[in-house]
Amino acid sequence: MILPIVGLGNPVLRRKADPIDRDYPNLKELIADMFETMYAADGVGLAAPQIDKSIRVVVIGFRPYDEKTDTYGDVSEEHTLINPEILERKGEMRYFNEGCLSVPDIHEDVLRPDTIVIRYFDADFNEHTEQIDGMFARVAQHEIDHLDGIVFTDRLSPLRKTMIKRKLNNVISGKVHTAYRMKASKR
Ligand code: ZN
């Protein structure tokens, strides 16, 4: 089932989300709905607060890029992260152009480390500790930020923030059009 996506301005995006345990009701169904919602909106990641659930669940799905052939794979690389934690940030700091389904029409270069070590539980509640990089690391950091009430535009320089202020205010007041369904902001 495709769920409506919450936009910036809704307080759920500013809350620190709660960890869950394996008994969380209908977890498998929730994860399936999150993937469906993400793909329907052409996203590569979705955090549960974006569908108005303040819990620490993230789904990620993107077509892997192959540098050698300069092509994208046909099959999406998928990850489900439950209660994820970033244990270590390493590698180089890099800019990458990010967007967010909760902040439509805004794309900005965001500086983040290109390699991280994360610990998380998968959809079957198996624990993993992995060093990740590339697209997976980029999207994971953006989505884990959502679980802590942080949106990617928070990470921009004061100058960039000033420059996009009007666009951000349009998002907050719901004055944007999206190809996917958004939930009316409750303020
Ligand atoms: Zn986002």
Side-chain angles (χ1 to χ4, degrees):
M1 186 173 59
I2 296 174
L3 306 165
I5 293 173
V6 159
L8 190 66
N10 188 309
V12 72
L13 292 179
R14 292 308 190 185
R15 215 172 287 152
K16 195 170 167 65
D18 296 323
I20 59 164
D21 60 30
R22 64 176 75 238
D23 299 323
Y24 190 84
N26 305 321
L27 181 59
K28 284 275 160 74
E29 198 182 331
L30 174 73
I31 290 167
D33 286 347
M34 286 177 67
F35 272 109
E36 194 182 347
T37 301
M38 176 186 77
Y39 287 127
D42 268 334
V44 292
L46 189 72
Q50 293 181 276
I51 49 140
D52 209 7
K53 287 205 180 301
S54 195
I55 55 171
R56 303 183 81 77
V57 177
V58 162
V59 298
I60 292 172
F62 57 89
R63 292 164 66 208
Y65 175 70
D66 184 345
E67 256 177 49
K68 282 182 203 136
T69 57
D70 189 29
T71 54
Y72 291 89
D74 294 330
V75 180
S76 183
E77 177 183 326
E78 294 188 339
H79 304 275
T80 301
L81 311 180
I82 297 172
N83 304 337
E85 277 176 273
I86 298 176
L87 302 179
E88 216 181 319
R89 293 171 171 83
K90 50 210 286 190
E92 270 179 61
M93 295 295 286
R94 281 183 207 270
Y95 281 102
F96 187 84
N97 199 257
E98 294 187 22
C100 180
L101 297 175
S102 296
V103 192
D105 290 346
I106 296 179
H107 293 88
E108 291 287 329
D109 290 337
V110 182
L111 192 61
R112 300 187 193 269
D114 65 3
T115 306
I116 56 172
V117 179
I118 55 169
R119 180 167 59 211
Y120 63 95
F121 295 87
D122 63 26
D124 298 312
F125 258 89
N126 297 311
E127 191 179 324
H128 300 262
T129 300
E130 287 173 13
Q131 178 168 311
I132 62 172
D133 57 17
M135 191 66 174
F136 183 16
R138 172 61 58 163
V139 181
Q141 290 177 81
H142 175 118
E143 302 308 332
I144 292 170
D145 269 355
H146 275 304
L147 306 182
D148 294 324
I150 298 166
V151 175
F152 80 105
T153 48
D154 299 345
R155 297 206 175 271
L156 302 176
S157 68
L159 177 65
R160 276 314 296 169
K161 275 189 209 163
T162 304
M163 290 177 76
I164 64 165
K165 202 170 172 121
R166 183 199 295 258
K167 280 166 103 180
L168 275 177
N169 283 336
N170 284 342
V171 174
I172 291 167
S173 54
K175 278 188 236 154
V176 282
H177 291 284
T178 52
Y180 47 91
R181 190 154 62 101
M182 291 195 80
K183 194 167 199 161
S185 205
K186 40 178 180 189
R187 268 170 295 140

